[in-house]
Amino acid sequence: MSSTTDPDLVTTVGGSAEVTSRNTKSFRQRALRRAQHAITARDVFLFLLAFRILNALSIKTFFQPDEYFQSLEPAWQIAFGPDSGAWITWEWKHHLRSAIHPYLFATVYWLSAAVAQLLHLSAHNRAELLIAAPKVFQAIFAATGDYYTWRLGQKVYGHDSNESWATLALTVCSPWQWFCSTRTLSNCLETTLTTVALYLWPWQWSMVKTENDAVESDGLRSDKDDNQPESVDQLAKLRRCLVLAALACVLRPTNLLIWACLACFSLLHATKTERVVLIRETAICGSLVLTVSALLDRLYYRQWVFPPFRFLHFNIAQSLAVFYGRNDWSYYLTQGYPLLLTTYLPFALLDIHRAITRTPTTQAPPAPTTSPTIRHQLATLALLVPLTLSLISHKEVRFIYPLLPPLHILAASSTTHFFLPALSPASPTRRTRASTLKRRLLLPALLATNTLIALLATTAHQPGPLTALAYLRAEHEAHYLSQPPAAAPLAPAPTVMTAAFLMPCHSTPWRSHLVHAGIHAWALSCDPPVHRNASARAAYVDEADRFYADPVPWLERQLGPPPRRKGVFGGKAPQRGLGMGMGTGGRVGEEAGSGAAGREAWDGGEGAKAWPDYLVFFGALQGAMKGVLGGSAYRECWRGWNSWGHDDARRRGDVVVWCLRGGEGEGRG
């Protein structure tokens, strides 16, 4: 029996084997690329994490009160109880803020306190841990935002493209990022959530469908990315995106502007299936986040409230935000973008123009097909969001902070094409030699400028409020927590130390940096005129403004005469640690907390205030304070550098501390 072979069968089998071999090889190549990219991505993230932790721990300056009073103060109250000394501002009393952000830091405080107790840390080390822990926690969010800025840059320009690496470099070298990203502002978390959500957003849905589009089994177009795990489908990515976007909107309702704009782009060009899925998943994910937010708000406020609505009602309908300042309509153009971008501003503006007009660029051919679409939409956001926010009278640069990562991505194109030829090892031609030399000199000059701005902003401009609180903590630890030996002739030192801050309201952190429960303090308040008509709001003057209008009469009316050297100590200067309850002013130290009015005065409460052990104020007020305190038991005991100048005249000069007690031989701290 002879055997024959069908030639068609050989051809078919052989062809199938070749196809299988090619598919296997292609699969292995994709798997290898994913593995290599995973290693690179992991290394980049670990670098960013270490970089931002260093960033967070090196910041020594004061920026915005909201860094503390909209996050750390309510978090302290949640973690340690309502009697822990946290200052809860009017926004929380009127339910304007979501409790999601404070609960994150409350968890950090609770864990840090547990570690301190487990390790039997001293009072000083426990305080340092409680101050550092929120910074490190925020550094994780900051590093995550940087990482996904780079990943979105890869999605725009292609993996391993020069522009994607330029995006990472711009982010790392940004003075604003170094200054702001690791601070515990809700805007910083909003920026991170927005950046990650932008990376997950289905940009391909805002393009006209073509035959070459990759379509999943559920009819949704997916982005072609060989470095993504096979198991992550488009629907799962969309849900993650919408959850993060919803969280950002709950934190800062104005973030809704970003997502409304992007949703309009997608709904215009998405297929019917994609429109249905987008609307359905937005409703589901939004409802889920709102439910979680409502439960946390119910737990914190002890009643059912909806903070986003109250935020918009108070700040826009009642215009209470104007109470904290008005800005010119051009603020975001003339101040906002220059502060955010610094030396990157020309490159960003050029690329915004190119992206809006869809001007062709010299981008490398492997760039993704979605690149022009993403760049166009990011540029649109960079124009529409500030334009819309300009309609509100009160403006701050941090309100447009979520736009900084997209701006870095846009600016990467012009930055790369401007500097890359100058960095090429090839020798320039005679015609380009002068231009190349200028660019080679300009690049280190820009980097040096960014570094100088970052260091000055985080170490030299307004460190006074933080160093003053460090001084008060040290005083409390040295003279109020330390008891004399049993055989010593001195009586036990008091355990409660009092301080007063005669400064514009919220000029320093509060319990998050005072830490110790034994430090009782009061400060000038500036709550807005809530629930008043327009005429009453126009005539309203807060306590801080009343004080600065005429400091001396205010002190005489509110506090009475200051404690004098002569009195209960027989004419001798009071000894350190024995200032409590002393003086002719009547309401000092523990006595100030004995009545209802005294209790209300501490930690942001209104009511009768007392002459404290320590008075803290800016140098601009020193002339008036010397007139009031001359001949009293107070004297200057510490002075700390704050700034070369300030746009608010009340905050100019050093931060000065005057002490109620102190022997003749003691100098300044």
Side-chain angles (χ1 to χ4, degrees):
M1 182 178 180
S2 64
S3 61
T4 60
T5 304
D6 187 345
D8 291 337
L9 180 60
V10 173
T11 302
T12 302
V13 172
S16 177
E18 290 177 3
V19 171
T20 302
S21 176
R22 285 197 301 269
N23 290 340
T24 302
K25 184 176 181 180
S26 176
F27 174 79
R28 289 176 178 173
Q29 289 175 342
R30 291 198 304 271
L32 180 61
R33 285 198 300 270
R34 282 197 298 270
Q36 292 173 339
H37 179 73
I39 295 173
T40 302
R42 180 196 63 193
D43 292 343
V44 168
F45 179 76
L46 291 177
F47 161 74
L48 291 171
L49 181 60
F51 180 73
R52 288 304 173 197
I53 290 175
L54 173 65
N55 181 181
L57 297 178
S58 66
I59 291 180
K60 307 297 181 185
T61 56
F62 181 88
F63 173 42
Q64 280 281 347
D66 292 351
E67 180 180 353
Y68 312 101
F69 293 94
Q70 288 185 8
S71 56
L72 298 187
E73 290 302 308
W76 190 282
Q77 182 195 51
I78 293 169
F80 302 118
D83 298 324
S84 58
W87 185 338
I88 305 302
T89 58
W90 71 276
E91 295 168 297
W92 298 97
K93 295 174 183 177
H94 291 278
H95 316 144
L96 267 68
R97 302 290 174 186
S98 168
I100 292 178
H101 197 214
Y103 267 107
L104 293 174
F105 289 101
T107 304
V108 174
Y109 277 138
W110 186 85
L111 292 174
S112 300
V115 169
Q117 184 176 8
L118 180 65
L119 298 178
H120 303 288
L121 296 183
S122 65
H124 172 77
N125 290 334
R126 178 180 181 273
E128 292 298 321
L129 176 62
L130 289 173
I131 292 172
K135 297 180 180 181
V136 174
F137 184 61
Q138 177 59 36
I140 298 173
F141 288 115
T144 302
D146 292 342
Y147 174 78
Y148 278 98
T149 301
W150 171 60
R151 293 298 304 274
L152 183 55
Q154 289 183 319
K155 183 171 287 190
V156 174
Y157 298 112
H159 293 281
D160 295 324
S161 63
N162 292 321
E163 290 85 355
S164 66
W165 289 109
T167 299
L168 181 61
L170 292 177
T171 300
V172 169
C173 298
S174 167
W176 182 267
Q177 285 290 80
W178 180 267
F179 173 68
C180 190
S181 68
T182 59
R183 297 182 184 272
T184 52
L185 290 160
S186 60
N187 309 86
C188 298
L189 180 57
E190 175 199 11
T191 299
T192 294
L193 294 173
T194 303
T195 304
V196 180
L198 287 174
Y199 170 74
L200 297 171
W201 180 254
W203 300 97
Q204 65 279 4
W205 292 7
S206 55
M207 300 174 62
V208 177
K209 186 177 180 181
T210 65
E211 296 179 355
N212 297 326
D213 289 339
V215 181
E216 297 182 350
S217 58
D218 52 7
L220 303 178
R221 285 177 288 173
S222 63
D223 52 344
K224 301 174 183 179
D225 190 347
D226 290 337
N227 297 307
Q228 285 294 325
E230 300 283 347
S231 58
V232 180
D233 61 14
Q234 189 59 48
L235 185 58
K237 289 176 63 178
L238 177 64
R239 287 169 176 168
R240 295 175 188 175
C241 168
L242 294 175
V243 167
L244 295 174
L247 282 171
C249 293
V250 169
L251 280 177
R252 305 283 307 178
T254 51
N255 192 264
L256 186 63
L257 293 172
I258 293 175
W259 301 106
C261 183
L262 293 181
C264 289
F265 278 117
S266 292
L267 292 175
L268 283 174
H269 298 289
T271 64
K272 181 178 179 181
T273 300
E274 290 165 350
R275 289 193 187 100
V276 171
V277 169
L278 181 59
I279 295 172
R280 181 194 70 201
E281 296 301 325
T282 299
I284 293 173
C285 295
S287 299
L288 175 63
V289 171
L290 286 176
T291 300
V292 173
S293 176
L295 292 175
L296 290 177
D297 291 334
R298 176 68 177 83
L299 184 63
Y300 179 76
Y301 290 116
R302 309 291 180 181
Q303 57 181 295
W304 294 107
V305 295
F306 188 56
F309 171 77
R310 296 185 67 84
F311 174 88
L312 295 174
H313 174 69
F314 273 74
N315 287 292
I316 297 178
Q318 291 197 14
S319 299
L320 288 179
V322 176
F323 183 71
Y324 295 102
R326 293 176 179 267
N327 303 91
D328 187 72
W329 66 270
S330 62
Y331 172 85
Y332 290 119
L333 176 62
T334 58
Q335 298 183 51
Y337 271 3
L339 286 172
L340 277 183
L341 292 163
T342 57
T343 57
Y344 308 156
L345 181 62
F347 304 105
L349 294 179
L350 177 60
D351 274 308
I352 288 174
H353 174 264
R354 287 176 172 174
I356 289 292
T357 59
R358 296 184 183 269
T359 302
T361 65
T362 56
Q363 195 169 319
T369 56
T370 55
S371 177
T373 298
I374 300 177
R375 292 175 64 246
H376 178 76
Q377 293 183 27
L378 293 180
T380 303
L381 291 178
L383 294 179
L384 287 183
V385 173
L387 182 63
T388 306
L389 293 178
S390 294
L391 301 176
I392 303 174
S393 298
H394 179 63
K395 305 173 183 67
E396 293 185 40
V397 61
R398 59 193 176 96
F399 295 169
I400 58 171
Y401 185 21
L403 298 177
L404 184 57
L407 288 169
H408 284 160
I409 293 169
L410 292 170
S413 177
S414 290
T415 305
T416 301
H417 300 142
F418 184 80
F419 286 111
L420 190 60
L423 300 177
S424 173
S427 300
T429 64
R430 179 178 301 177
R431 188 179 63 179
T432 61
R433 186 172 300 163
S435 174
T436 300
L437 178 60
K438 290 179 182 178
R439 297 183 186 191
R440 286 178 177 175
L441 294 175
L442 180 60
L443 181 58
L446 294 182
L447 291 176
T449 301
N450 284 1
T451 302
L452 181 62
I453 294 172
L455 292 179
L456 288 177
T458 55
T459 60
H461 182 62
Q462 298 192 92
L466 301 187
T467 51
L469 294 193
Y471 169 75
L472 294 179
R473 287 197 310 274
E475 287 288 283
H476 184 265
E477 292 161 7
H479 305 295
Y480 292 80
L481 295 181
S482 302
Q483 298 291 329
L490 294 175
T495 58
V496 175
M497 164 183 153
T498 57
F501 295 83
L502 296 174
M503 298 172 152
C505 64
H506 308 316
S507 290
T508 70
W510 202 251
R511 192 56 55 185
S512 62
H513 280 64
L514 290 172
V515 180
H516 302 299
I519 301 179
H520 290 184
W522 59 264
L524 301 175
S525 65
C526 61
D527 290 353
V530 180
H531 300 313
R532 298 193 184 190
N533 58 37
S535 59
R537 288 201 298 268
Y540 177 78
V541 181
D542 63 48
E543 183 182 46
D545 287 341
R546 293 197 302 272
F547 167 76
Y548 274 98
D550 206 345
V552 176
W554 189 95
L555 290 170
E556 292 174 348
R557 288 194 308 268
Q558 298 294 325
L559 305 182
R564 300 294 170 180
R565 290 183 181 276
K566 294 183 179 181
V568 295
F569 285 96
K572 294 183 179 180
Q575 299 300 308
R576 185 175 288 278
L578 296 178
M580 302 295 295
M582 168 199 158
T584 59
R587 304 183 304 275
V588 181
E590 292 176 336
E591 293 180 8
S594 58
R599 284 195 301 270
E600 291 177 355
W602 307 118
D603 304 319
E606 295 183 357
K609 293 179 170 63
W611 284 108
D613 296 324
Y614 295 84
L615 283 168
V616 187
F617 50 88
F618 287 109
L621 193 64
Q622 187 155 354
M625 296 305 296
K626 283 183 176 180
V628 174
L629 301 177
S632 74
Y634 285 102
R635 68 182 185 84
E636 183 178 327
C637 56
W638 183 88
R639 176 183 291 266
W641 163 263
N642 191 50
S643 68
W644 292 278
H646 203 287
D647 56 351
D648 186 346
R650 302 173 301 175
R651 290 185 165 93
R652 291 173 185 167
D654 297 337
V655 175
V656 184
V657 180
W658 282 47
C659 302
L660 179 62
R661 60 204 184 285
E664 295 297 334
E666 294 173 309
R668 278 189 283 170

